[in-house]
Amino acid sequence: MYGTRKPGLWWVFRSKEWVTVPMNVFVIEHDDGLVLFDTGIDPAATTRAYWPDAVTNWFVRHIFRFDVDPEDRLGDALRRAGYRAEDVTAAVHSHLHFDHAGGIADIPQADLFVARDGWDFLVRSSHPEREYVTRQHVLVPGARWRLLDFSPTDDPELAPFTEACDVMGDGSLMVVPTPGHLVGSVSMLVRRAAAPPVLLIGDLTYSEELLLRNQTAGTGDKEALLQSYAKVQTMKANNPDLVVVASHDTTAVDKLAAARIGDLAAS
Ligand SMILES: [Zn+2]
């Protein structure tokens, strides 16, 4: 989460400290239906059977402690929040890590979006599970996967990003490439009427504060992360109202609650 110069195995055995983070799924109420940003973790991911590769199994058991119940499936979590899984029309994946793409079986009717390079990694890598991408749980029969195609844009609200994918075709949900965490990592700008825009950034960082001070995590491509951080920082400088939310940010729920619809109209 905070980065380290220590070798990976040394860190796992001698230097590790535990932090507790949420695994958020974001729900957008769009006129054409519910749109999700990420689909969360499959509770089965806490079991050994989910990780047939012995090396990955070992790392999963030494890096993560899961506080996930069987009723934390995507469909159940949506119901608790007052939504129905059947009403989800699309799900945009920030990347394909298991704790972000684990709910697709609950929304078979939805279009599932992923960046082209993330998809290529999934289908071509000899051991995607060693990057915590589980091919057998993503390539679910019948799943309606779609590739995000980025087009050039000069939309001033997206600057300094120069390409984007307009997911719903109305400019409300604009996906931009933010490489660095995992191949194919993207962020999504959510533009709402009479409310501050929200930039959902997945695992680009674990909190906005870490991103603003250029503190990278111990995983990913540091140079690529810093280039993506600079773009997000510029976007925020261009629009100080922008709400930047990381998937595992412990303050994500409070941040979104504080940026409700109507806030801009009132200010
Ligand atoms: Zn991740």
Side-chain angles (χ1 to χ4, degrees), residues 111-227:
D111 286 328
L112 308 170
F113 290 94
V114 63
R116 187 176 294 274
D117 46 352
W119 183 260
D120 287 346
F121 172 77
L122 172 83
V123 296
R124 295 204 183 130
S125 168
S126 52
H127 281 291
E129 70 279 1
R130 294 194 180 167
E131 295 287 338
Y132 307 106
V133 174
T134 59
R135 189 184 284 141
Q136 70 273 29
H137 300 114
V138 176
L139 297 179
V140 175
R144 297 160 56 90
W145 284 103
R146 306 275 185 262
L147 297 180
L148 292 162
D149 276 317
F150 299 106
S151 306
T153 177
D154 55 4
D155 185 332
E157 283 185 55
L158 290 171
F161 292 96
T162 55
E163 53 178 359
C165 176
D166 182 354
V167 176
M168 303 304 283
D170 61 1
S172 61
L173 303 176
M174 303 297 289
V175 177
V176 292
T178 46
H181 174 66
L182 178 72
V183 60
S185 292
V186 301
S187 298
M188 184 164 81
L189 181 69
V190 183
R191 296 197 272 210
R192 309 176 293 172
V198 175
L199 184 66
L200 301 172
I201 59 172
D203 287 359
L204 186 58
T205 181
Y206 294 91
S207 79
E208 183 184 9
E209 290 65 36
L210 291 171
L211 182 149
L212 291 177
R213 63 171 187 253
N214 289 320
Q215 186 171 348
T216 53
T219 57
D221 178 335
K222 184 167 179 150
E223 286 312 306
L225 284 169
L226 290 173
Q227 287 177 20

Side-chain angles (χ1 to χ4, degrees), residues 95 97 99-100 181-182 203 206 248:
H95 61 300
H97 272 156
D99 54 329
H100 295 257
H181 174 66
L182 178 72
D203 287 359
Y206 294 91
H248 300 294

Side-chain angles (χ1 to χ4, degrees), residues 8-39:
L9 279 174
W10 177 266
W11 175 83
V12 167
F13 281 116
R14 304 299 300 272
S15 312
K16 182 175 56 184
E17 292 177 29
W18 293 102
V19 293
T20 301
V21 297
M23 290 178 278
N24 284 305
V25 169
F26 300 91
V27 183
I28 295 117
E29 297 174 1
H30 189 275
D31 289 344
D32 292 341
L34 299 177
V35 180
L36 306 182
F37 189 69
D38 287 341
T39 57

